[in-house]
Amino acid sequence: MKQLSLDRRIQTLFPVALASLLVLGTARLVLDHLKSNHSRDFRLYSRPRSHEKHKLPVVISPEDRVAEGCNVFEGKWVWDNVSYPLYTEESCPFLVKQVTCQRNGRPDSFYKNWRWQPNECNLPRFDPLKLLQMLRGKRLMFVGDSVQRAQFESMVCLVQSVIPVGKKSLQRVPPMKIFKIEEFDASIEYYWAPFIVESNSDHATNHTVLKRSVKLDSIAKHRKEWEGVDILVFESYVWWMYKPLINATYGSPDDVKEYNVTTAYRLALETWANWMDSKLNPHTQKVFFMSMSPTHLWSWEWKPGSDGNCFNESHPIQGPFWGTGSNLEIMEILHDTLQQLKFNVTLLNITQLSEFRKDAHTTIYGERKGKLLTKEQRSDPNNFADCIHWCLPGVPDTWNEILYAYLLKNYQNFL
Ligand SMILES: *[C@@H]1O[C@H](CO)[C@@H](O)[C@H](O)[C@H]1NC(C)=O
Ligand SMILES: *[C@@H]1O[C@H](CO)[C@@H](O)[C@H](O)[C@H]1NC(C)=O
Ligand SMILES: *[C@@H]1O[C@H](CO)[C@@H](O)[C@H](O)[C@H]1NC(C)=O
Ligand SMILES: *[C@@H]1O[C@H](CO)[C@@H](O)[C@H](O)[C@H]1NC(C)=O
Ligand SMILES: *[C@@H]1O[C@H](CO)[C@@H](O)[C@H](O)[C@H]1NC(C)=O
Ligand SMILES: *[C@@H]1O[C@H](CO)[C@@H](O)[C@H](O)[C@H]1NC(C)=O
Ligand SMILES: *[C@@H]1O[C@H](CO)[C@@H](O)[C@H](O)[C@H]1NC(C)=O
Ligand SMILES: *[C@@H]1O[C@H](CO)[C@@H](O)[C@H](O)[C@H]1NC(C)=O
């Protein structure tokens, strides 16, 4: 009985039309191939350590430390059009079209002006220079799907304004994107791996959500690129949730079977956990995991009796709210896996705070299969609004402010 209702929940999570949102499509495919050029030749990790001698201690003030015992994930969104947004679409040249809602025609802009206010403390003010000082000589990498890519882009936009032109660059090295900050010998990177473990959707642009097949016990292809990274930020959810069953292999690579999504998710996380316990160094490497990013596909969940989605929403939800799209069994699996790990992974539980933000998705002002929507598609938001991805500037900036707060909290100067 219980399983049945779970299956129905997963079943209804992604209407068929949404499959196309998770896929970049041929337009983007061609574009990316052009842009990536001969990027395989691009030498990435030959890091001269010449900047080491300029290393200065990071000055951390009392306001930079989140009060002991404060849960930054409990709080509310407050109107703040003085400090927010932290950057603009115009000031950040690194945003992709998928997230620049205003430029794509979104008429309202309230969604950019909300600040997350924890109940019992304040988040430190985001200081790009301080973050770069903490990242000096280091690599920060975001791993996951297109939601995680937005968090990567947000981070790039949050820091890029303090770096002079010519001292920063964004390179595509599929399945990665790499933002390098020369002066700090640092990089902020993104790695496409929608299931974390290996799958037939690992190609950065040519991938499908309809014919997914996941290798639940394989991570070798990816982990090589992750093991040298100083700070890793993982995320994986929405690609699992297309149907209640998922084709996967475990053991024999030729033996494809249908697994319950929950079983498959648990096995994949175990593979990931075992890798970390055996290969990462807890003294020099830091790992974060972002909890699921919520979707707002059904307006009846916050507005009983209505029949729409997140389109035309201009304000956050006030008061308690948890949408059915954020699967609690998956949350429990995540919780259990992290508990059992020897390696210390910090869960950034951003689901609840993002649940309130029904107003902040790209809706009809994003892309589908790599293209902006046509006029006809825009006139049919019930079928074409994207209620998975977020506009930038927007909610992913807050996730990064929280990540920044944790990095500050754990930072120690080695003088
Ligand atoms: C691709 O590489 C060639 C030579 O390496 C260069 O001349 C050309 O400008 C590059 N194209 C793009 C789009 O980066
Ligand atoms: C900021 O918000 C306040 C209160 O809603 C409003 O009166 C003011 O005009 C806004 N300022 C700007 C610059 O939008
Ligand atoms: C995309 O991948 C599929 C299956 O892996 C392959 O058959 C197809 O040729 C690929 N398309 C392009 C444009 O590379
Ligand atoms: C698994 O793969 C088979 C064969 O391609 C297909 O018929 C089936 O629908 C797939 N199952 C799921 C859950 O996608
Ligand atoms: C899926 O879950 C149901 C109920 O828990 C169980 O009976 C079934 O064996 C599971 N299937 C697989 C492939 O794990
Ligand atoms: C959006 O909502 C407002 C009321 O909040 C309504 O007046 C307007 O007609 C709606 N627009 C569309 C296109 O549904
Ligand atoms: C994340 O927070 C929600 C409530 O905000 C809670 O229900 C859930 O258990 C938390 N997840 C984990 C893995 O601790
Ligand atoms: C793990 O992280 C927590 C919170 O940052 C810290 O209190 C704890 O001491 C760490 N444990 C180990 C074994 O490093």
Side-chain angles (χ1 to χ4, degrees):
M1 245 356 251
K2 187 159 177 261
Q3 188 60 35
L4 187 67
S5 65
L6 165 72
D7 284 2
R8 290 181 44 150
R9 271 209 312 278
I10 294 181
Q11 183 87 60
T12 55
L13 182 50
F14 296 111
V16 175
L18 288 177
S20 60
L21 289 174
L22 299 176
V23 182
L24 282 167
T26 43
R28 173 61 66 74
L29 183 66
V30 173
L31 209 71
D32 276 19
H33 276 309
L34 280 178
K35 284 189 188 160
S36 63
N37 210 2
H38 303 291
S39 48
R40 274 287 164 209
D41 303 335
F42 168 63
R43 277 318 307 148
L44 194 53
Y45 308 122
S46 52
R47 297 190 162 279
R49 293 282 154 175
S50 59
H51 303 289
E52 208 80 349
K53 59 181 182 293
H54 301 303
K55 189 165 174 170
L56 296 169
V58 182
V59 180
I60 296 173
S61 68
E63 299 81 57
D64 284 336
R65 302 264 195 206
V66 167
E68 206 59 52
C70 171
N71 181 348
V72 296
F73 305 104
E74 286 174 5
K76 59 175 187 292
W77 291 96
V78 298
W79 179 252
D80 181 351
N81 62 357
V82 176
S83 320
Y84 287 75
L86 297 171
Y87 57 89
T88 63
E89 285 180 14
E90 293 72 34
S91 69
C92 184
F94 302 104
L95 290 173
V96 296
K97 252 195 326 200
Q98 189 178 25
V99 298
T100 53
C101 296
Q102 208 96 69
R103 191 177 302 153
N104 301 343
R106 183 167 173 163
D108 63 308
S109 61
F110 290 167
Y111 69 91
K112 298 191 230 177
N113 296 129
W114 298 92
R115 175 168 57 81
W116 178 248
Q117 177 62 58
N119 285 338
E120 314 209 310
C121 59
N122 295 319
L123 286 176
R125 199 183 157 71
F126 191 94
D127 182 339
L129 212 50
K130 218 170 266 187
L131 181 72
L132 288 173
Q133 286 165 347
M134 287 193 287
L135 290 183
R136 191 184 293 277
K138 290 195 167 55
R139 297 169 63 195
L140 162 64
M141 183 189 277
F142 295 90
V143 180
D145 58 24
S146 51
V147 173
Q148 187 75 336
R149 187 171 53 223
Q151 191 179 349
F152 157 77
E153 281 188 17
S154 154
M155 190 57 112
V156 169
C157 289
L158 284 167
V159 303
Q160 67 89 26
S161 64
V162 298
I163 311 158
V165 176
K167 300 283 186 188
K168 54 192 169 187
S169 64
L170 183 67
Q171 290 274 358
R172 287 163 196 262
V173 189
M176 288 191 262
K177 285 186 170 189
I178 298 148
F179 181 71
K180 292 220 240 178
I181 308 116
E182 202 181 292
E183 239 166 299
F184 289 83
D185 186 24
S187 62
I188 300 173
E189 309 177 24
Y190 166 71
Y191 188 104
W192 167 263
F195 296 99
I196 297 182
V197 292
E198 290 173 30
S199 76
N200 66 349
S201 306
D202 286 345
H203 190 283
T205 48
N206 184 11
H207 49 235
T208 166
V209 74
L210 287 171
K211 296 189 179 154
R212 303 160 304 167
S213 181
V214 185
K215 296 180 186 170
L216 299 173
D217 56 351
S218 305
I219 203 166
K221 230 170 49 191
H222 300 321
R223 70 174 176 84
K224 291 196 300 276
E225 307 286 356
W226 302 342
E227 280 167 13
V229 177
D230 303 282
I231 304 163
L232 282 157
V233 186
F234 289 94
E235 174 268 353
S236 180
Y237 177 63
V238 76
W239 276 71
W240 295 93
M241 305 303 284
Y242 180 57
K243 282 180 180 171
L245 294 176
I246 188 165
N247 275 325
T249 58
Y250 193 89
S252 165
D254 301 318
D255 187 14
V256 180
K257 281 196 299 232
E258 289 188 336
Y259 283 75
N260 287 340
V261 159
T262 45
T263 310
Y265 194 83
R266 185 184 296 277
L267 291 170
L269 280 192
E270 272 171 18
T271 300
W272 170 76
N274 289 339
W275 158 69
M276 277 191 299
D277 274 344
S278 64
K279 296 284 195 228
L280 293 192
N281 179 347
H283 302 295
T284 58
Q285 290 171 295
K286 188 118 195 66
V287 177
F288 293 89
F289 199 101
M290 308 303 296
S291 68
M292 62 196 63
S293 165
T295 57
H296 294 89
L297 303 174
W298 306 289
S299 61
W300 53 261
E301 292 194 328
W302 60 86
K303 206 189 295 165
S306 62
D307 189 25
N309 51 35
C310 69
F311 173 68
N312 202 23
E313 292 289 349
S314 55
H315 285 79
I317 297 170
Q318 301 290 331
F321 179 75
W322 187 276
T324 50
S326 300
N327 187 288
L328 287 170
E329 282 189 55
I330 294 283
M331 197 60 125
E332 218 173 287
I333 292 166
L334 185 56
H335 182 260
D336 292 350
T337 309
L338 297 187
Q339 287 284 304
Q340 284 156 21
L341 259 176
K342 285 199 294 287
F343 195 85
N344 217 349
V345 173
T346 307
L347 176 73
L348 300 186
N349 194 343
I350 50 81
T351 307
Q352 176 66 81
L353 70 91
S354 312
E355 282 284 0
F356 298 130
R357 295 307 305 277
K358 62 176 169 55
D359 58 314
H361 291 284
T362 53
T363 67
I364 57 170
Y365 308 107
E367 286 180 314
R368 167 172 293 236
K369 295 196 173 178
K371 285 186 181 148
L372 293 178
L373 299 196
T374 63
K375 213 171 149 212
E376 288 70 36
Q377 289 170 331
R378 284 193 180 183
S379 64
D380 183 10
N382 273 354
N383 284 314
F384 286 95
D386 179 345
C387 298
I388 297 178
H389 297 102
W390 306 92
C391 300
L392 288 182
V395 171
D397 303 329
T398 298
W399 305 344
N400 279 326
E401 288 186 270
I402 292 174
L403 175 60
Y404 171 71
Y406 272 83
L407 292 174
L408 276 174
K409 188 170 152 188
N410 295 317
Y411 192 81
Q412 271 143 10
N413 283 307
F414 300 103
L415 295 173

